[in-house]
Amino acid sequence: MERRPAAAVNVGGVVIGGGQPIVIQSMTSSKTDEVGKTLAQVKRLAAAGCQLVRVAVPDRGAAKALDTLVGASPVPLIADIHFDHELALAALEAGVSKLRINPGTMSLKALNSVVARASRLGVPLRVGVNSGSIHRDYQHLPRVEALVKSALYYCQVIADLGWDELVVSLKSSSVTETYLATEQFAGQSLYPLHLGVTEAGTIGSSTIKSAIGIGGLLLRGIGDTLRVSVTGPPESEIPIALGILRALGLRRGIDIISCPTCGRSGYDVAAVAQEVEDRLGSLELPLKIAVMGCVVNGPGEAKSADFGIAFGPGGGALFKKGQVVAKMANDELLYALLQLIDEEARQRN
Amino acid sequence: MERRPAAAVNVGGVVIGGGQPIVIQSMTSSKTDEVGKTLAQVKRLAAAGCQLVRVAVPDRGAAKALDTLVGASPVPLIADIHFDHELALAALEAGVSKLRINPGTMSLKALNSVVARASRLGVPLRVGVNSGSIHRDYQHLPRVEALVKSALYYCQVIADLGWDELVVSLKSSSVTETYLATEQFAGQSLYPLHLGVTEAGTIGSSTIKSAIGIGGLLLRGIGDTLRVSVTGPPESEIPIALGILRALGLRRGIDIISCPTCGRSGYDVAAVAQEVEDRLGSLELPLKIAVMGCVVNGPGEAKSADFGIAFGPGGGALFKKGQVVAKMANDELLYALLQLIDEEARQRN
């Protein structure tokens, strides 16, 4: 699928859009003015693979904390502002790398002052429209149309004020609405897009909703940055985000393909696949590893894998780039596979 | 999104396609000839919400076991056949409700005899093409094109033999290939489609890959039956399948929307959302429940929910159909919400 062309927006050195790899972001859940706790959370997020971190700025205390946080954070910070444009101005002074505003919660005059300051400082904005804050002129419309028109309207207002370093999101707690609104907006604009499903729920629920909504758009070539939203610790969002990108070949990493253990298999494939995943999950080599339980799909699927093993009734086979490189007892396959990958990792380093 | 029109195929009373609700299926992992174990697994799958169960038929013993299994199963059974058309004929004699064949593993003569018998008995076939068994004439083509051409070719061969009660699947362990091949086939055929990503891996990995691949197609209106494939116990596939359908509003059930606990919230929203999910997860009422941590998105998002609670600094609010029906202390919100839903459930029963 060809990627939708989008303008490049530089967020403190991390580029969103412009054909760059898709950027993973998250948001702290600590109270922002508890600087120690917030900074610890930012560092945990960064260590997990989060490239941009957003912090809520609901009051003066939070805005003041930004002075310290911006200097100490290992990744660029984004300030999340609603209602109060004075807080947006304070965040800009503190040196944040991007502002997320929900223009539906501000007067045009307030928006004007924020845009003027951001433009002068060269700080990009995210225009975040969600179904809870549709522009009042569009509230009578069907939800998807209302989201698209609100987003287009606010982008135009800001562009008319002379600033177009914008990233745009259209979010709803309905996966289908989020998908349709984002797709429709994508066809009418060149601004880079931030993907996410709001209020996606607990880890299990969010994994499903986010994978469908975010993944469904990425499959159409749409999206430049993403956030998986989980009701829970923000660090838990990053493996899901990485999983979505890896599943689509958009991020390096081990991709383990393993078959359901059907009646054809005489071997505990699930346990072996889990062990491979546990041992190699954090490896950043872009390798496809096949763990197959039988000869029906085994050799065929293993052809597309870099390395693979297939268990068989009388013994199994070890594959490398679609070729059988050794036959051996089933019990020896896992060890042989791990050894092969270990050699590969050393050669590439 | 409008649903793709597809022919209706009756599988032992469960209709796939024809505008009917999307059917959930799975496959046993026991050895089919261990009848007691297999039947126990079929019953667990059915109890979890699986509507059709496939069993592997790799040998005579498995085919013989079908005589007993077909009579005792609470849901229609599908026989999974590769290579040996004699096993397909035996499965048809045993009274299975559908045959899954991979025509790429049979000679045309063998296929002919299977189709003739299925047609005479009125048993539908699934034509399951996967990247491990592309027709040899198409193996030089790019994978997606090869999958589509193989599927179209085998459907035509079977239709020419006089039988067109077909369900079709095009599967690859690549989510993107599965998506593109299925979408392209969908535009060129009216046969109902079976969705799934093969070798999707462990539960965590499969949840992501299946939600993207299956959910991405459902978002385009494509798909009539689905299987989430997990390397592990097949019962674990059903909650993921149900989660995908519920996330897209394609299956009744409680949909809990809850916000990430950002710095704006002063309350443990995650714990409350999890408790609501635990208490109401199995309820089949099609209700949307909002658990919101603050006033920014709370009231707006809660408008689209049937019931909702939003925590606030000085106390919270209870919503019903977008209207605040009561204000109370934050600690009282959960109990009040559960009581409201309980009343609703009793009224609807």
Side-chain angles (χ1 to χ4, degrees), chain B residues 291-321:
Chain B
V291 179
M292 311 303 299
C294 76
V295 292
V296 172
N297 292 321
E301 293 290 349
K303 264 185 201 163
S304 72
D306 294 291
F307 299 101
I309 50 181
F311 296 93
L318 180 69
F319 295 86
K320 183 173 176 176
K321 307 273 176 203

Side-chain angles (χ1 to χ4, degrees), chain B residues 241-264:
Chain B
L242 282 166
I244 292 170
L245 293 176
R246 284 178 178 173
L248 293 169
L250 296 169
R251 192 61 81 105
R252 289 157 62 102
I254 297 287
D255 183 21
I256 297 161
I257 56 179
S258 59
C259 61
T261 48
C262 67
R264 292 191 296 260

Side-chain angles (χ1 to χ4, degrees), chain A residues 29-30 80 82 130 173 179 183 199 201-202 209 220 231 255 258-259 261 263-264 270 274 277 296-297 301, chain B residues 29-30 80 82 130 173 179 183 199 201-202 209 220 231 255 258-259 261 263-264 270 274 277 296-297 301:
Chain A
S29 63
S30 53
D80 190 80
H82 294 261
N130 65 44
S173 57
Y179 176 83
E183 191 189 30
E199 288 80 46
T202 55
K209 288 185 185 179
R220 313 292 308 169
T231 303
D255 183 22
S258 59
C259 62
T261 48
R264 293 192 295 261
Q274 189 63 58
E277 192 170 302
V296 172
N297 293 320
E301 293 289 348
Chain B
S29 62
S30 53
D80 191 79
H82 294 261
N130 64 45
S173 56
Y179 176 83
E183 190 189 30
E199 289 79 46
T202 55
K209 289 186 184 177
R220 314 295 304 170
T231 303
D255 183 21
S258 59
C259 61
T261 48
R264 292 191 296 260
Q274 189 63 58
E277 192 169 305
V296 172
N297 292 321
E301 293 290 349

Side-chain angles (χ1 to χ4, degrees), chain A residues 80-101:
Chain A
D80 190 80
I81 310 283
H82 294 261
F83 304 113
D84 188 344
H85 74 288
E86 295 286 349
L87 296 173
L89 299 176
L92 286 169
E93 291 307 318
V96 296
S97 299
K98 186 168 103 180
L99 274 191
R100 185 261 162 143
I101 55 172

